[in-house]
Amino acid sequence: NAHTNTTMPPAFMMMQIEWREALEEASTAAELERISDEAAQYERGQLSKIEQLIDVNHDYTAAANEVRALMFVARFVGEIEARLDQL
């Protein structure tokens, strides 16, 4: 497939928006930790999904799309940690 769809799924886009809003509204370390825990749980799920796509399905295009989502989450976790450091 020469032309690969690299757009993120709508559910992922909505989750990003919700996380961003939660991060903006968070004012305590506990709130930030909750968001961080949610993101870390999502990261673990993404890693399992990517492993399945590569090892079982051999669907490298789909795996690459999931890696992009994982990269967003990793950056987002970094932003949360930076906010925690500021508190």
Side-chain angles (χ1 to χ4, degrees), residues 30-81:
E31 289 171 321
L32 291 169
E33 292 286 352
R34 183 190 56 75
I35 300 165
S36 181
D37 289 347
E38 194 175 310
Q41 182 178 349
Y42 183 84
E43 276 184 305
R44 287 190 294 276
Q46 279 300 102
L47 288 169
S48 292
K49 188 186 297 185
I50 291 164
E51 183 178 11
Q52 170 84 17
L53 287 167
I54 292 172
D55 293 343
V56 178
N57 301 19
H58 305 291
D59 187 344
Y60 305 108
T61 301
N65 287 335
E66 297 299 336
V67 167
R68 279 191 276 283
L70 184 62
M71 289 167 59
F72 162 81
V73 176
R75 282 192 304 271
F76 184 71
V77 168
E79 291 176 36
I80 296 168
E81 290 171 357

